[in-house]
Amino acid sequence: MTAPDVRAAAPDYPAKRDAACPFAPPPVLRALAEEAPLSRVTIWDGSTPWLVTGHESQRALLGDERVSVDEHRAGFPLFSQAMRDTLEHRPAMVFNLDGAEHRRLRKILTRAFTAKRVQALRPAIQRITDELIDAMLAGPKPADLVTSLAVPLPSLMICELLGVPYEDRDFFQERSAVGVGGTASAEESGASMQALTEYLIGLVRSKKETPGDDVLSDIAERVTAGELSEVEGGLLGLQALVAGHETSANMIALGTVALLRHPEQLALLRDTDDPAVVATATEELLRYLTIPQVGQRRIATADIEIAGEVIREGEGIIIDLPTGNRDPDVFDAPEALDLRSPQGRHQAFGFGPHQCVGQQLARAELQIVYGTLFRRIPTLTPAVEFDEIEFKHDALAFGVHALPVTW
Ligand code: HEM
């Protein structure tokens, strides 16, 4: 199909990636992006929201206050029938609130996720990364990098950040893996999320009495000040967990796959101890892989003129970050993974009022893992052929189910 044909057809979204080229956005979306920054796609309920693939248009719309995340508005491009069925029971969260209500909750999170606090966590991230690598090296070969390193590291770091006591960490990690890991049944995952929510609400209550230097203690202080309820406080902790667990885990594992696939790029990380080199490399991996793969969902609350089109009030909008991060108008060589050259302002963490709250934590984790793994295990290699690696084609965030490695 030629690019104009594909545009007229409003192809299905999300679309399939090319198995031979899994790091790149699906070919059909690339064809749309080549043709225009805005197109139409067809989603599961037969509706045809706008798909935004152009980097500049994405930035403009993500920062536009006429663009809403309110999933209750008629015409909002919901993710699935399951989401529609549970719409009435979904709590108000940073992800689905606009304006003043959003700012009220978000301010509490951003105040708690300070750069200073993340900086102070770096030694703990390094120690846990080293301990997990030690344990992997001491265990049998091949090892699965996903269960040995990619999943436990973010989970332990969220425990550290939220202030989950040591004795509760096994419970917390186990429930998180089931609740947000994406492999359990809907029932199991729902039960785990419920248990985690109740646990976090209880923890906020106890932090009101005995605060520490952690995010939930900051949240508890806001509860004491009457700015939010204990339930809202516990749910804020849960939102950080939901948003930060799978994303970081996928990025650690998928980044490792991409590096093993590009040995000349991997060599750069293996042979350096310069934090600036590792930081630039991490930004490029974030851009190249841009893992959110089912689109940032929005709805227009007024007519919006953009890129020669008019998005009408009430029309659904899907921002596809992976295609935007390979826009040739913004990036010089968008298809290449080049860890040496900073490719400008990628939007792997989104943009505007809903931009990722946990990006400093995610960056710190990724920089430490990428900067440590290949120096500690220079002979790290996949234990299966590339085409045997199972990619997460249907998940909210792209990644791999398992990564068998040896050394
Ligand atoms: C590599 C890892 C990560 C990636 C790629 C990522 C990506 C994103 C993106 C694209 C958004 C914007 C959503 C939108 O506009 O619709 C977002 C929002 C968010 N992220 Fe992350 N994230 C990562 C890690 C984390 C971590 C570690 C945390 C916290 C511990 C976190 C917490 C959040 C929260 C709370 C929001 C919602 C903000 C709001 O709606 O105001 N993320 N993330």
Side-chain angles (χ1 to χ4, degrees):
M1 219 187 273
T2 65
D5 288 344
V6 85
R7 197 163 178 239
D12 288 343
Y13 186 90
K16 269 199 165 32
R17 289 172 194 259
D18 178 351
C21 206
F23 303 125
V28 68
L29 301 185
R30 301 173 61 167
L32 288 176
E34 258 171 47
E35 186 61 13
L38 267 77
S39 345
R40 293 278 193 171
V41 283
T42 306
I43 61 170
W44 64 277
D45 60 357
S47 65
T48 55
W50 291 97
L51 184 81
V52 188
T53 50
H55 188 277
E56 285 310 318
S57 299
Q58 292 187 349
R59 204 175 184 80
L61 289 167
L62 285 170
D64 192 319
E65 59 186 25
R66 296 166 296 174
V67 172
S68 162
V69 293
D70 183 354
E71 55 207 26
H72 291 281
R73 283 178 189 262
F76 188 92
L78 299 172
F79 287 104
S80 60
Q81 181 65 47
M83 186 182 181
R84 178 179 284 168
D85 292 343
T86 51
L87 208 49
E88 294 316 313
H89 309 292
R90 281 166 65 83
M93 295 176 285
V94 273
F95 318 110
N96 58 17
L97 290 172
D98 295 319
E101 277 184 288
H102 172 247
R103 281 194 293 278
R104 179 178 77 92
L105 289 184
R106 177 161 170 120
K107 200 169 77 185
I108 292 165
L109 276 183
T110 45
R111 241 196 257 157
F113 277 79
T114 54
K116 193 172 145 223
R117 178 167 278 146
V118 172
Q119 196 57 28
L121 267 186
R122 276 183 173 265
I125 304 176
Q126 185 68 61
R127 177 176 48 78
I128 292 172
T129 302
D130 280 320
E131 285 171 4
L132 291 168
I133 293 175
D134 288 342
M136 188 172 88
L137 288 173
K141 289 195 237 182
D144 176 15
L145 191 110
V146 171
T147 46
S148 313
L149 178 64
V151 167
L153 179 68
S155 171
L156 285 167
M157 293 329 300
I158 291 174
C159 284
E160 195 83 27
L161 195 79
L162 291 179
V164 173
Y166 281 98
E167 61 273 20
D168 298 342
R169 291 199 174 175
D170 284 347
F171 158 83
F172 191 86
Q173 272 190 285
E174 215 179 275
R175 294 286 144 204
S176 308
V178 177
V180 296
T183 46
S185 71
E187 227 167 53
E188 282 174 328
S189 136
S192 281
M193 294 300 265
Q194 186 60 32
L196 280 170
T197 310
E198 282 162 20
Y199 171 77
L200 287 168
I201 295 169
L203 202 52
V204 167
R205 197 170 299 139
S206 73
K207 301 257 177 196
K208 275 165 66 185
E209 307 304 323
T210 42
D213 180 15
D214 53 62
V215 167
L216 281 187
S217 296
D218 289 5
I219 290 175
E221 209 179 302
R222 299 295 108 216
V223 175
T224 306
E227 289 176 29
L228 76 168
S229 69
E230 279 175 1
V231 172
E232 281 181 311
L235 280 171
L236 272 182
L238 191 77
Q239 287 161 61
L241 169 71
V242 169
H245 185 278
E246 268 294 280
T247 41
S248 303
N250 283 327
M251 197 51 216
I252 290 172
L254 191 66
T256 305
V257 179
L259 289 164
L260 291 170
R261 193 74 180 149
H262 295 83
E264 75 299 344
Q265 300 290 321
L266 187 154
L268 180 80
L269 284 169
R270 190 192 55 214
D271 300 339
T272 187
D273 54 8
D274 181 347
V277 172
V278 178
T280 303
T282 301
E283 294 310 304
E284 171 63 350
L285 281 161
L286 281 161
R287 179 200 70 83
Y288 182 74
L289 297 169
T290 313
I291 56 171
Q293 62 170 355
V294 294
Q296 310 315 125
R297 308 287 173 115
R298 302 288 195 268
I299 186 164
T301 62
D303 290 356
I304 302 170
E305 276 187 52
I306 182 158
E309 305 278 6
V310 180
I311 302 178
R312 297 281 171 206
E313 177 184 353
E315 286 187 333
I317 304 170
I318 299 179
I319 314 274
D320 188 72
L321 297 172
T323 43
N325 274 343
R326 291 191 180 214
D327 184 337
D329 289 344
V330 178
F331 303 104
D332 290 339
E335 301 307 328
L337 175 67
D338 182 358
L339 301 189
R340 274 186 189 78
S341 58
Q343 281 266 13
R345 38 178 208 179
H346 71 72
Q347 287 169 177
F349 292 116
F351 180 72
H354 290 273
Q355 194 178 23
C356 184
V357 171
Q359 56 185 290
Q360 296 314 334
L361 174 64
R363 284 195 166 98
E365 289 173 0
L366 296 174
Q367 289 168 4
I368 288 171
V369 169
Y370 298 147
T372 305
L373 183 62
F374 308 105
R375 281 200 294 129
R376 294 260 341 250
I377 322 180
T379 55
L380 191 80
T381 175
V384 293
E385 294 298 324
F386 184 68
D387 60 9
E388 288 173 301
I389 296 175
E390 275 188 56
F391 289 90
K392 292 184 177 175
H393 288 291
D394 297 326
L396 297 181
F398 193 47
V400 290
H401 288 290
L403 178 55
V405 288
T406 190
W407 51 89

